[in-house]
Amino acid sequence: MGKLFFFTGEAVRAIKRNVAPTTAAVVTTVLTAMLLGVLIPVFQTAQSKGEDVRGQLELRTFIYDDATKAETQALQQKLDNIPHVASATFLTKADAKQEFMSSDFGKDNPDVLQQLGNKNPFPANFIIKPDDAANLDAIRAAISPVGANGKAQPISPIISKVDDRQEDARDIEQVTGALKLILTVITALLIAASLLLIGNTIRLSIYTRRREIEVMRLVGATRWFIRWPFMIEGVIVGILGGAIAILVLWIGKVTVVDPLADKFALMNAQDSMSFAALVACLFISAILVSAIGSGLTMRRFLKV
């Protein structure tokens, strides 16, 4: 415990003697923690919304208008027995028309509804929900397996068309995958830049005491005995930078995010990580990055 107080005292004295480099290191830590504090919720929101949209993907199996009730019930049973089918809901022609009228397109185009009048051009269909969007292709293949002639043959003669919205599934996969990759790369670059900048600023402090370090090494001081004050200095920088960044993020949350959460769904989508957990993650990250940056910088000056 006595050594800890000694090392901490040395670190505090070094900070007081090198105010400018310490301030630069703190500012660097603040900016890095703030950017991470924004990127992490954005990453969560993108992933959450991507999963929501993926969960809305479905197969539409349209049937001919002359299909009998018995044929429809038989198809219902076949669809229910297909692997990875979570549900298969039947919509009559009347239900299909009502669905169109209730859709955004139908509400925004009342003239289309007037032109329809009493006509109902919408076919009855089954809404097939997969247990996972990745299984859409497998379900489609089960509904229209390839026959002996090499062509797809529906499992029921009343099936007129299968709409699997594969294009939407591919687009969602590509967008969410690209966004995750971009955010991951940005996060890695921020951490690397923070390590380098904090290391460089602390290196200025170390450089002014390089002779002192060399003398300590020559008289037999161990590497860790010399390194600990600088590591603690990095921890102090991380604590200061993390605390300031968290304070700024909290002010932004209270004044901007919370008031807009009810109006914008994206603002209210970070359910998987509470603000307290985000604060803890940022605070620990700031301390670790600063401490590691300090420790890595010392390696060059310990070679005597």
Side-chain angles (χ1 to χ4, degrees):
M1 185 61 69
K3 287 185 176 180
L4 178 61
F5 286 121
F6 171 76
F7 291 144
T8 304
E10 288 294 313
V12 173
R13 280 191 290 273
I15 290 174
K16 291 180 179 178
R17 289 196 301 265
N18 301 275
V19 177
T22 301
T23 302
V26 171
V27 171
T28 301
T29 306
V30 170
L31 293 177
T32 303
M34 286 179 59
L35 288 173
L36 287 177
V38 173
L39 284 176
I40 291 175
V42 169
F43 183 87
Q44 284 185 288
T45 300
Q47 187 172 16
S48 175
K49 289 303 177 181
E51 291 297 328
D52 290 345
V53 175
R54 281 168 54 85
Q56 296 173 10
L57 291 178
E58 61 193 22
L59 279 166
R60 290 282 182 145
T61 302
F62 299 96
I63 63 177
Y64 292 108
D65 292 342
D66 59 354
T68 64
K69 184 176 181 180
E71 290 174 327
T72 303
Q73 290 176 345
L75 177 57
Q76 173 85 60
Q77 187 174 5
K78 290 180 179 179
L79 294 175
D80 289 335
N81 292 332
I82 294 177
H84 305 298
V85 170
S87 65
T89 306
F90 178 65
L91 294 185
T92 63
K93 286 178 63 67
D95 293 335
K97 183 178 180 180
Q98 183 60 41
E99 182 186 38
F100 174 79
M101 294 173 62
S102 302
S103 66
D104 293 337
F105 181 83
K107 292 178 180 179
D108 296 338
N109 298 272
D111 54 327
V112 175
L113 300 179
Q114 292 178 358
Q115 292 176 7
L116 288 176
N118 295 326
K119 299 179 181 179
N120 187 357
F122 303 99
N125 62 87
F126 285 92
I127 303 176
I128 303 172
K129 295 281 188 180
D131 55 5
D132 189 277
N135 295 320
L136 281 173
D137 289 340
I139 295 174
R140 179 186 174 87
I143 296 174
S144 299
V146 178
N149 58 358
K151 296 183 180 180
Q153 300 290 334
I155 57 176
S156 173
I158 66 173
I159 296 177
S160 63
K161 181 184 177 183
V162 178
D163 181 10
D164 60 359
R165 303 182 68 180
Q166 286 185 351
E167 196 69 29
D168 292 342
R170 292 194 197 96
D171 291 344
I172 291 170
E173 289 285 351
Q174 291 175 357
V175 171
T176 55
L179 187 57
K180 289 178 183 178
L181 178 61
I182 291 172
L183 292 177
T184 301
V185 171
I186 291 175
T187 302
L189 289 176
L190 280 174
I191 294 175
S194 180
L195 284 172
L196 292 174
L197 290 173
I198 292 172
N200 285 333
T201 51
I202 293 179
R203 181 177 296 175
L204 295 175
S205 173
I206 297 173
Y207 186 77
T208 59
R209 288 177 284 168
R210 65 189 185 282
R211 298 300 181 191
E212 176 185 345
I213 295 173
E214 292 175 358
V215 170
M216 292 177 67
R217 287 290 294 139
L218 291 172
V219 299
T222 64
R223 298 190 177 205
W224 276 107
F225 184 87
I226 301 171
R227 180 177 280 152
W228 271 118
F230 295 97
M231 295 283 289
I232 294 175
E233 183 178 343
V235 169
I236 295 173
V237 168
I239 292 173
L240 292 174
I244 296 172
I246 290 168
L247 177 61
V248 174
L249 290 172
W250 179 79
I251 294 173
K253 178 180 182 297
V254 173
T255 58
V256 178
V257 177
D258 289 347
L260 296 177
D262 295 333
K263 297 181 180 179
F264 298 95
L266 288 175
M267 295 278 190
N268 198 26
Q270 294 90 28
D271 295 331
S272 57
M273 177 184 285
S274 65
F275 185 72
L278 177 62
V279 165
C281 179
L282 291 178
F283 196 63
I284 294 173
S285 298
I287 294 174
L288 288 177
V289 169
S290 299
I292 293 172
S294 301
L296 293 176
T297 303
M298 285 294 300
R299 295 177 62 185
R300 174 186 172 186
F301 296 94
L302 289 175
K303 296 177 181 179
V304 178

